[in-house]
Each structure stands twice: as C-alpha cells, then as structure tokens.
Amino acid sequence: MSRQRTINDQRFWRNPALQHSTTEDKIALLHLLTCPDSNIIGAYPVVPRIVGAELGWTQDQWLHVIDRLKVDDLVWFDSTKMFVWVRIWWDHHLASQALGSKLRGRTLENLRRLPESWQQPYLSDFKTRLSDDLMAILDAAWPGTPIKEAVSVPYRYGMDMRSDLSPSNNNANDNFNFNLTPTLGSPSFPPVDNYGVPAKDREVVEAAIAKAQRAGIARADAHAVWEAVGKRFQSKRPPQDAGAYAYVLAQTLNSIAQSTAPHEASEQELVAWKGRCFCWPSDNPTNFIRIEENGFFEQYSQEGGRLSHGHAPLGRGKLLADLREGRLREVSPTVFSGIAKDSPP
C-alpha cells in the first residue's frame, strides 16, 4: 500500500545546508525522504543495492553520494547495520503528529529499532521539536533513564532553528579521553569540488577514484584528483578519457606536494592558525586537525573503531568558515600528538 510523503519546497530547495550539494546529492536526499523503505521517524534500514537501483545507480555510486551527505551532516549511515537517519526529516514532517494517539505506537516501535548508539542523539534531537506535554509522554513511554535535552553536532542543518544546538567550548584542554567512541555520521573530509570537470564526465571520474581507493592503490585524496582533472579540462588539451586519466592520477599524484588548489585563508590567518589543533564534535570528538602553514590541514578521524589519517586544503567545504566563526573546539598540540602516536603506521 502506497503512502503519501510531503516535501516542503522552501525547506528543501532553499535550504542553506544544500547550497553546495550536487544534483546527485539532492536526488539521493529526495529519495531518502520519499522511498518505500522510509518510516515515520526518518530513520530506517536500507539495502544499498536496492536503493541504488531505484535511482538507476550502482551500489557503489549510492554509497559514494551517501558519504558526501554524511560529511554535510544531512544523513547518518551505519554501514554495518545498514541503517540510515535522514537528518532533515523533521523539516518536512511534524514531530507532534508522530506522537499523536494514532501513530504513537508505531513511532515508539521504530525508535526502539534504532542502532543503540543512535538512540541518545536521535531522541535528544526529536525532543527539541516537541511540546512539554509530548516530551512528558515520550519520557513516560521510553524505558530507562530520562533522555538528555541536548546533544552537540558539528553543523547546523535544515530550516528548523530549534534544532540548532549549543555552541562548542573553544577552550583548549589537555585532559582528554583517547578511548573515543565514534559519533556516526560525523564529518571527516569536506566534500570534493568537481565543478572544473564537465558534468558528462563526472560520473566516470568519480568511479575511477573509487576504484583506485577500493584497490588500495590510491596515493592522492579525492580533492587533489578532482582538482587536477579539472585543470586538465580547462587547458588546451583536455583528456580524451577522463576516467582513465583520473585513475592514473589517483595512483601517481602526490596530493600534498602537487595540489595547487588556492586556499581561501589569508596569510595573516595562516600565521595565526599555524600549528593550532581543533576537534569536533565537541562532546565526543572523532575528528582532529592540525593547521599547516601551506593552507592545508592534517587530520585524524575515527570511524567504526578505526583511525584514519590524511591531509586536505582548508578552502574546502565548511571547515574554513567554522574556524573563522569559532565553532570548532581547540585542543592543545599535546592532544593531537597523542592521537598521532596511537595511530597505526
């Protein structure tokens, strides 16, 4: 039996959080808001092969787009449990209706099916959208200890400003817990800039980069490859086979030494930030960066119990803006060095 899903046009097409999203990102997000697998709370299990096929994509194409949506905190995706949380769900549906007398039982059932590590963040976000009476109903219906009223996330999202949470603590702190539990869906590297590559070639470039990464032969990060391919297209000798060219670049390009992406940070800012370290989210950090004087940052990210290491330019995504606005929590270089020391070779 089909269901009706409503999309708020203003809160989707004019959502500030989507202003840098690609066409593929928006299509995938619309699908998650309306697909047959969706439920009343916007957090549900999916099969990547099936949801990709519904869009005419491969499983790998869908997973790559979901990675970008995760970076912008538009979705959370647990690749182990194959569970997705559409973070802008309540921009298009009324949370109060989900706890109405006719739908309350189904809502509570869906909440209990959430991955255990998601329940606290989800309920905290959900409760910000409820009246005091409905929050009391939720507390009474949910077993165990009362749910905290707020949870920190790295970026604002959506049009509903009630979901905007408390600012980060920017004070450096050496007393840090290195036994981190990953916050699913937290950002790692900012989204790639693919605008230098013609639209007709973007899919094959993306597939080539993903193929090199899966094979374990990629030496350059995606940012550097996209930039180099874009520069070649802007030259007088564009590549005849964009996919093959990107595949070779992924294996041979040194993303730190050869990437010439212009950073947006001024020289004064780079001098002020050189060697300083930051982390996010503030309540349970999984991403740690150290600013370098050349306009790049070094980063350690923990996801799924594994620690990854890489470099990327500051002028990508939201990181530079968040640095300028003080949204990231600063930690001492000792903390960063400790994480680097614990990182596997």
Side-chain angles (χ1 to χ4, degrees):
M1 180 177 179
S2 63
R3 299 162 302 181
Q4 180 176 344
R5 293 290 187 216
T6 302
I7 302 297
N8 185 307
D9 55 354
Q10 294 278 350
R11 291 188 174 187
F12 189 86
W13 298 112
R14 297 182 180 177
N15 186 341
L18 298 180
Q19 62 181 333
H20 299 300
S21 298
T22 67
T23 301
E24 291 83 3
D25 297 342
K26 293 175 182 177
I27 290 173
L29 198 54
L30 275 174
H31 179 260
L32 290 174
L33 287 166
T34 59
C35 73
D37 293 319
S38 63
N39 59 14
I40 195 172
I41 66 170
Y44 48 88
V46 294
V47 179
R49 177 178 55 83
I50 294 175
V51 292
E54 288 174 343
L55 291 167
W57 299 345
T58 66
Q59 173 177 305
D60 286 344
Q61 286 175 305
W62 185 83
L63 289 170
H64 190 81
V65 174
I66 290 301
D67 283 341
R68 293 202 301 262
L69 295 176
K70 286 171 59 180
V71 167
D72 286 336
D73 199 33
L74 294 167
V75 303
W76 284 15
F77 179 63
D78 185 335
S79 58
T80 302
K81 295 181 173 61
M82 295 300 177
F83 226 91
V84 68
W85 172 11
V86 186
R87 300 277 282 150
I88 61 170
W89 184 262
W90 299 120
D91 291 342
H92 305 279
H93 304 85
L94 291 176
S96 58
Q97 289 184 354
L99 280 182
S101 57
K102 294 183 179 180
L103 299 177
R104 187 179 306 157
R106 192 187 315 168
T107 297
L108 293 173
E109 180 182 355
N110 288 331
L111 288 173
R112 292 188 177 97
R113 291 178 178 174
L114 289 170
E116 185 177 354
S117 61
W118 287 14
Q119 289 182 358
Q120 177 82 25
Y122 188 96
L123 289 168
S124 298
D125 176 79
F126 187 34
K127 290 179 69 174
T128 66
R129 307 163 189 277
L130 300 174
S131 66
D132 291 342
D133 291 342
L134 290 177
M135 280 195 287
I137 291 174
L138 182 60
D139 282 337
W142 195 262
T145 57
I147 303 301
K148 294 180 181 179
E149 291 294 331
V151 59
S152 296
V153 295
Y155 302 123
R156 299 181 180 185
Y157 62 94
M159 302 288 287
D160 185 352
M161 295 310 293
R162 293 192 64 192
S163 66
D164 189 14
L165 303 169
S166 59
S168 303
N169 175 11
N170 295 314
N171 296 326
N173 181 7
D174 285 341
N175 297 321
F176 207 85
N177 177 17
F178 291 101
N179 297 318
L180 301 175
T181 301
T183 301
L184 295 174
S186 61
S188 52
F189 292 101
V192 297
D193 182 358
N194 61 9
Y195 292 106
V197 179
K200 65 180 180 65
D201 294 295
R202 290 175 187 169
E203 185 174 337
V204 295
V205 171
E206 183 176 290
I209 297 173
K211 180 180 178 181
Q213 291 174 337
R214 288 195 302 271
I217 58 177
R219 295 181 57 196
D221 64 29
H223 300 281
V225 177
W226 277 105
E227 180 200 359
V229 175
K231 284 184 176 297
R232 181 67 182 269
F233 270 107
Q234 295 165 23
S235 71
K236 296 180 179 180
R237 296 184 299 109
Q240 294 183 352
D241 187 334
Y245 183 62
Y247 190 69
V248 172
L249 283 178
Q251 301 173 64
T252 60
L253 182 66
N254 185 320
S255 61
I256 303 306
Q258 296 186 24
S259 178
T260 57
H263 57 72
E264 300 175 6
S266 66
E267 291 186 9
Q268 292 85 351
E269 287 177 321
L270 290 177
V271 169
W273 290 336
K274 177 185 175 183
R276 292 173 65 183
C277 304
F278 302 85
C279 69
W280 71 85
S282 61
D283 63 331
N284 187 18
T286 55
N287 300 277
F288 297 81
I289 64 171
R290 177 166 57 196
I291 310 298
E292 300 173 344
E293 61 181 345
N294 60 356
F296 282 73
F297 63 89
E298 182 180 12
Q299 171 166 301
Y300 287 93
S301 297
Q302 186 180 35
E303 185 171 359
R306 300 180 64 183
L307 196 64
S308 61
H309 175 246
H311 293 76
L314 278 173
R316 290 284 191 267
K318 301 178 180 178
L319 181 60
L320 183 58
D322 285 351
L323 276 169
R324 287 170 171 163
E325 296 177 20
R327 294 181 185 174
L328 303 184
R329 174 183 171 189
E330 185 169 358
V331 297
S332 77
T334 304
V335 171
F336 188 92
S337 298
I339 295 174
K341 182 179 178 180
D342 292 340
S343 175

